[in-house]
């Protein structure tokens, strides 16, 4: 059977429709398909592919195909805001999934006003508040919780002096400021000797790395994305700082770090929330079935995240449709029902991508573990632990 390759539809539905009526089931999303953070866009493809898998294997939900629209936000705030307006106002999406911390923070009040369920790929604590922001959901521990997991491991290893490096945008600054002001670093018995900020689009951090070397810290936590980590580890190796000094967040457990840096990446640590691509779990069996007739664009942990997000989003939509006895004609009521069912998800099976999840806290899972690059592969070096 000929393989079908799903192309990005930047402006049209994958299903071919130009707009959605309220009686449609439409899911609209955007990611950095092109731009400075494109190494992570497997989580956009993963969500889209899971929904297409449900369409192909189950006929959608209650006989209704789910229309999906994947847009390119290019990691530009104005583009992401434009995509949101299109998803909500023009396409009548019942669920929206968006990308950056800057965008979701800028849109959070609008999301509540529009009363549309929103899955954010940002893990910023400032957009996680079930009481004040009841329509926003995420898929794991916040950046702040991840940072503390990383620093706790440093303290347990005997570290005392730590440095945090972060990008000069909302994604980089905000989580670090929240943790710094909380006093949690001191409670771990650590001293934050410096914060080193750098441009998100950086290509050379030699000056910052030399400053870091002079500080002689026991551990460095990076609040940035994979492209910046590549520069940090490359420049650190040039001045004799080992990769084992550094720990990154969930968006740093990337094959590209190993592929591009080779031995210079040995010892680098990152936070892991989702099972590895290709793991021996039920979700992988579903992906293999999907791949028989479709192309998987990215084969990495970020794709696993996107697939899991799709599982949760579809589960909430399915429950809302079942409760209504069909797809509601009233998009306002449909969205509210999906939100309520999302918050009510309990013990949801993610096919082994994570432990079973519940969404009363709007995070799904708060489980994470630390992985380390050993002999050219990410290897777990801690058990799964809950963020606290």
């Amino acid at each position: 059977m000929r393989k079908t390759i799903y192309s990005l539809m930047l402006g049209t539905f994958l299903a071919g429709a130009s707009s959605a009526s309220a009686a449609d089931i439409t899911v609209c999303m955007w990611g950095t398909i092109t731009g400075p953070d494109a190494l992570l866009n497997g989580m956009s493809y993963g969500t889209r592919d899971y929904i297409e898998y449900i369409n192909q294997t189950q006929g959608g939900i209650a006989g209704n195909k789910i229309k999906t629209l994947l847009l390119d936000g290019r990691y530009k705030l104005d583009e992401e805001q434009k995509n949101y307006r299109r998803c909500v106002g023009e396409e009548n999406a019942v669920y929206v999934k968006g990308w950056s911390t800057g965008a979701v923070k800028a849109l959070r009040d609008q999301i509540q006003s529009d009363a549309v369920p929103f899955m954010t790929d940002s893990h910023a604590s400032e957009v996680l508040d079930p009481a004040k922001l009841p329509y926003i959901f995420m898929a794991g521990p916040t950046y702040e919780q991840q940072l503390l997991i990383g620093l706790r491991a440093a303290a347990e290893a005997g570290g005392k002096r730590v440095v945090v490096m972060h990008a000069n945008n909302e994604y980089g600054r905000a989580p670090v400021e929240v943790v710094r002001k909380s006093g949690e670093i001191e409670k771990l018995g650590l001293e934050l000797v410096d914060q080193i900020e750098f441009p998100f689009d950086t290509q050379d951090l030699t000056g910052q790395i030399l400053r870091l070397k002079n500080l002689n810290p026991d551990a460095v936590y990076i609040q940035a994305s994979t492209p910046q980590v590549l520069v940090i580890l490359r420049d650190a190796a040039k001045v004799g700082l080992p990769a084992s000094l550094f720990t990154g967040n969930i968006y740093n457990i990337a094959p590209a770090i190993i592929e591009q840096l080779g031995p210079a990446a040995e010892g680098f640590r990152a936070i892991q929330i989702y099972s590895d691509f290709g793991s021996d779990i039920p979700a992988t069996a579903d992906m293999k079935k999907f791949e028989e007739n479709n192309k998987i664009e990215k084969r990495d942990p970020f794709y696993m995240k996107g697939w899991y997000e799709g599982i949760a989003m579809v589960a909430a939509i399915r429950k809302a449709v079942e409760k209504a006895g069909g797809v509601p004609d009233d998009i306002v009521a449909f969205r509210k029902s999906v939100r309520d069912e999302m918050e009510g998800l309990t013990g949801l099976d993610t096919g082994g991508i994570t432990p079973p999840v519940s969404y009363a806290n709007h995070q799904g899972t708060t489980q994470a573990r630390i992985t380390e690059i050993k002999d050219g592969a990410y290897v777990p070096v801690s058990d799964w632990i809950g963020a606290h």
Side-chain angles (χ1 to χ4, degrees):
M1 185 174 182
R2 183 179 63 85
K3 287 196 173 187
T4 302
I5 299 177
Y6 283 89
S7 301
L8 287 177
M9 302 299 287
L10 304 180
T12 58
F13 279 113
L14 296 176
S18 59
S19 63
S21 70
D24 288 327
I25 302 175
T26 301
V27 173
C28 188
M29 67 197 85
W30 71 85
T32 299
I33 306 307
T34 61
D37 225 16
L39 280 172
L40 310 182
N41 61 29
M43 58 190 169
S44 298
Y45 291 111
T47 302
R48 181 200 65 179
D49 288 358
Y50 176 78
I51 294 172
E52 292 304 327
Y53 174 72
I54 292 300
N55 282 336
Q56 293 171 20
T57 60
Q58 300 180 21
I61 295 174
N64 299 276
K65 292 289 183 72
I66 307 169
K67 297 181 179 179
T68 55
L69 179 64
L70 174 58
L71 302 171
D72 189 359
R74 299 188 296 158
Y75 210 90
K76 294 182 179 295
L77 180 58
D78 58 346
E79 197 71 22
E80 293 190 76
Q81 290 175 312
K82 182 175 72 174
N83 288 343
Y84 172 81
R85 291 191 295 270
R86 176 176 178 179
C87 289
V88 175
E90 297 177 30
E91 311 297 356
N92 281 325
V94 69
Y95 215 135
V96 177
K97 178 173 177 254
W99 186 271
S100 75
T101 296
V104 69
K105 288 180 69 173
L107 290 167
R108 58 188 162 185
D109 291 337
Q110 188 66 48
I111 291 167
Q112 305 319 305
S113 176
D114 292 332
V116 57
F118 189 95
M119 178 68 75
T120 173
D121 278 322
S122 167
H123 285 245
S125 65
E126 294 165 287
V127 298
L128 179 69
D129 190 327
K132 295 180 181 179
L133 302 171
Y135 281 85
I136 298 179
F137 300 87
M138 67 176 62
T142 65
Y143 296 133
E144 292 80 359
Q145 290 169 331
Q146 295 169 44
L147 196 160
L148 289 173
I149 288 171
L151 294 184
R152 189 176 300 116
E156 291 172 353
K160 295 296 182 183
R161 293 165 48 81
V162 299
V163 170
V164 177
M165 300 186 70
H166 61 85
N168 64 343
N169 56 10
E170 283 294 315
Y171 163 60
R173 291 180 181 134
V176 176
E177 285 303 301
V178 170
V179 172
R180 185 182 64 81
K181 292 176 180 178
S182 72
E184 291 295 325
I185 296 176
E186 291 74 17
K187 290 179 184 178
L188 292 172
L190 299 172
E191 177 190 1
L192 179 63
V193 295
D194 204 356
Q195 290 176 233
I196 299 178
E197 183 172 290
F198 53 83
F200 187 75
D201 59 353
T202 185
Q203 299 299 316
D204 186 349
L205 288 174
T206 304
Q208 290 89 336
I209 295 299
L210 288 172
R211 171 180 159 191
L212 175 67
K213 185 175 183 179
N214 288 334
L215 292 168
N216 193 30
D218 300 313
V220 180
Y221 188 89
I222 305 170
Q223 175 60 28
S225 195
T226 293
Q228 297 86 56
V229 170
L230 287 166
V231 177
I232 289 170
L233 297 184
R234 181 200 67 198
D235 290 351
K238 290 178 182 177
V239 301
L241 291 179
S244 58
L245 185 66
F246 301 88
T247 299
N249 68 20
I250 61 168
Y251 292 137
N252 304 150
I253 184 169
I257 293 175
I258 298 170
E259 293 164 0
Q260 295 188 32
L261 297 179
E266 285 289 303
F268 174 70
R269 292 186 168 196
I271 306 297
Q272 181 176 22
I273 301 175
Y274 317 104
S275 295
D276 298 324
F277 187 92
S279 298
D280 185 15
I281 56 176
T284 296
D286 292 339
M287 293 173 194
K288 288 180 178 178
K289 185 174 181 180
F290 177 76
E291 196 173 21
E292 289 175 1
N293 300 300
N294 307 278
K295 180 181 179 182
I296 291 180
E297 296 286 346
K298 294 290 182 72
R299 308 168 71 85
D300 56 29
F302 312 124
Y303 187 87
M304 303 296 280
K305 179 190 183 190
W307 192 273
Y308 150 51
E309 289 171 320
I311 290 173
M313 294 162 72
V314 168
I317 296 169
R318 179 179 287 113
K319 286 180 176 291
V321 170
E322 290 174 352
K323 183 171 287 188
V327 180
D329 292 327
D330 183 347
I331 188 63
V332 175
F334 193 9
R335 287 170 174 166
K336 183 180 185 306
S337 180
V338 170
R339 189 222 77 88
D340 293 346
E341 296 300 333
M342 185 75 188
E343 191 174 77
L345 292 177
T346 302
L348 178 68
D349 182 0
T350 67
I353 296 175
T354 67
V357 300
S358 299
Y359 263 94
N361 64 359
H362 286 220
Q363 287 183 270
T365 180
T366 58
Q367 297 286 305
R369 67 184 179 188
I370 295 175
T371 60
E372 180 178 315
I373 297 177
K374 294 183 178 181
D375 298 323
Y378 285 95
V379 178
V381 292
S382 79
D383 295 329
W384 292 99
I385 57 175
H388 54 83

